[in-house]
Amino acid sequence: MNVISLKQFDDLGLAEPILRAIRAEGYTTPTPIQEGIIPIMSQGGDVVGIAQTGTGKTAAFVLPLLQRLSEQKSKPQATACRFLVLAPTRELAAQIDKQVRIYGRFLNLKTAIIVGGVKPGPQIRALKPGVDIVIATPGRLEDHLSTGAVRLDRVETVVLDEADQMLDLGFMPAIRRLMAKLPPSRQTVLLSATMPKQIRRLADDFLTDPGEISVAPAAKPIDRIDQHMMLVARADKRAALLEVVGVSNVDRAIVFTRTKRGADRVCQHLKKAGHKAAAIHGNRSQGQRDRALADFKKGRITMLVATDIAARGIDIDDVSHVINYELPNVPEAYVHRIGRTARAGKSGVAISFCDPSERKQLRDIERLIGRALMSDEDRKVLETAVVPEAPPRKKRVRAQVKPWPGNGDGSRKPKRAKPKSGARKTAAKRKSQKQRNAPSRRDRVSA
Ligand code: AMP
């Protein structure tokens, strides 16, 4: 990571087992967000941190929590925890858990990861004896709270990670409910890449006199990313994708689509063209997502096609390219997407396809990051292009069910005419042939 700092980790008052783990990772210098947050958190203060992923923000809050555990290791009470970290997605929660294990490997600590999409039983068992750190997504944590599997009245510090994403995903009411269950004397840390009004209000409502640390102006993508915005008609995007991945030096790319179906289609298209690709999105099981991520990390696949939500928390250092097959509706998502490349001090390339129907999205992104992304020549074409109207959505027509008038003999069950001999066989044959030709249910769902 490119860090200009005079401080070393040794100067931050961290315990030896934590410093040993940091050294084992090869880090000597704290990043600016770490340099800002660690001292405030260590003194028990509340913090608002404005930082994107890739800045070292996870270690910034994990290290002071571990420090407190190393200073005072009390036995947690049954179903209680000392520290609570809330994250928007399972992937980010897993990522945080991983970092806790890395930096806390020489401390004897108990953590529990509480996320949706997996069976609750093992989580309940993990929570039962009490743990040091709970890393959770809000929905599943509320479930466990309602059944008494976890209690939050012993929480000393709560961290809200990627608060703006939790807002986008509709978690704000759940977060407010959870915050109300915490002891009022707790320490609160809020991290967010951007500071929309609702997040500012959340900070005002739940934090006391927080120190504010902001690294890199909010929502400005990291300078090391080489950003390209290409004008591509919607119908040409598939061909453009193959061209881009064919000519560019794409070692490992994440391709973003707006929809889950879109992700599947693009993935199929890449596979057909001979690329090793996998799709991750909300309709895939946790097992499928984990497998795709592991394959991507190990290099068994070189292209991961993802939707925004599924991509949160992906922390893979060598992503050479981010390709925005479609521009996101929320401009902040652009910053998050391209932040998947150029991590840990490396450079990266972001290539985005913009078709005339995405003019507004482009304008919003450019306004947010404060610079033009498209060449003047392309922009002229974009501004004057006629946006083809989207085909009207087919209306679902409910089948009219007519009441059966009866058989004239008092019975109401429809009577079928007996097929002539041989006719039954032919009908069955016709039916099985029809079934063979019809798409399976799975095909219909994923089409
Ligand atoms: P994050 O912003 O927490 O997602 O971290 C991004 C990446 O930076 C992770 O791969 C970390 O392992 C790495 N990292 C964290 N702290 C440092 C540091 N002080 N020096 C170099 N890399 C770091």
Side-chain angles (χ1 to χ4, degrees), residues 146-364:
S146 67
T147 60
V150 69
R151 47 189 273 209
L152 301 178
D153 58 341
R154 295 271 154 182
V155 170
E156 295 169 31
T157 303
V158 58
V159 179
L160 306 174
D161 195 14
E162 301 205 353
D164 51 353
Q165 276 315 302
M166 293 207 264
L167 171 74
D168 286 349
L169 295 177
F171 284 138
M172 228 16 79
I175 287 174
R176 285 181 172 270
R177 284 194 298 269
L178 287 167
M179 295 298 277
K181 295 272 185 329
L182 302 176
S185 57
R186 60 160 199 271
Q187 176 185 45
T188 309
V189 178
L190 184 150
L191 290 155
S192 199
T194 56
M195 265 292 152
K197 263 188 244 132
Q198 293 100 312
I199 298 296
R200 191 51 80 191
R201 215 172 302 135
L202 187 75
D204 291 345
D205 292 348
F206 291 105
L207 277 71
T208 313
D209 196 16
E212 187 159 320
I213 310 293
S214 171
V215 300
K220 291 256 156 69
I222 302 159
D223 294 335
R224 292 189 304 272
I225 305 172
D226 187 10
Q227 298 174 63
H228 301 269
M229 183 65 66
M230 294 168 63
L231 174 66
V232 183
R234 198 188 316 197
D236 298 335
K237 283 192 177 182
R238 285 182 174 206
L241 178 64
L242 293 187
E243 209 178 309
V244 161
V245 297
V247 296
S248 316
N249 220 353
V250 176
D251 295 330
R252 197 177 282 184
I254 304 182
V255 182
F256 282 96
T257 61
R258 245 189 331 242
T259 63
K260 299 172 213 172
R261 262 167 45 167
D264 281 336
R265 282 201 206 112
V266 169
C267 180
Q268 286 308 325
H269 182 60
L270 283 167
K271 278 183 176 169
K272 262 191 208 150
H275 294 281
K276 290 182 186 138
I280 57 166
H281 53 68
N283 284 357
R284 312 225 93 195
S285 70
Q286 193 58 35
Q288 287 173 318
R289 291 197 207 185
D290 290 346
R291 219 168 308 127
L293 276 179
D295 285 350
F296 190 55
K297 272 190 187 167
K298 295 229 166 84
R300 287 194 285 258
I301 57 165
T302 50
M303 263 169 260
L304 197 62
V305 188
T307 54
D308 287 302
I309 292 171
R312 304 248 121 246
I314 296 179
D315 179 27
I316 298 167
D317 283 347
D318 294 320
V319 176
S320 61
H321 289 68
V322 165
I323 300 170
N324 291 312
Y325 190 81
E326 283 142 350
L327 297 185
N329 286 332
V330 181
E332 281 83 4
Y334 174 82
V335 181
H336 282 293
R337 286 180 177 187
I338 70 167
R340 305 286 131 196
T341 180
R343 289 169 86 81
K346 308 220 166 69
S347 57
V349 181
I351 300 168
S352 307
F353 298 161
C354 173
D355 72 63
S357 73
E358 296 173 303
R359 258 180 238 160
K360 182 185 170 313
Q361 283 91 334
L362 175 64
R363 229 175 287 140
D364 290 346

Side-chain angles (χ1 to χ4, degrees), residues 1 3 9 25 27-31 34 52-59 99 103 315 317 343-344:
M1 190 168 287
V3 187
F9 274 114
E25 282 303 290
Y27 306 149
T28 51
T29 326
T31 65
Q34 292 164 356
Q52 300 158 27
T53 58
T55 55
K57 69 176 174 66
T58 314
Q99 296 218 25
Y103 300 121
D315 179 27
D317 283 347
R343 289 169 86 81

Side-chain angles (χ1 to χ4, degrees), residues 63-75:
L63 297 178
L65 298 184
L66 296 178
Q67 176 62 23
R68 290 250 293 289
L69 281 172
S70 76
E71 284 165 4
Q72 197 202 358
K73 182 89 179 94
S74 54
K75 203 172 173 306

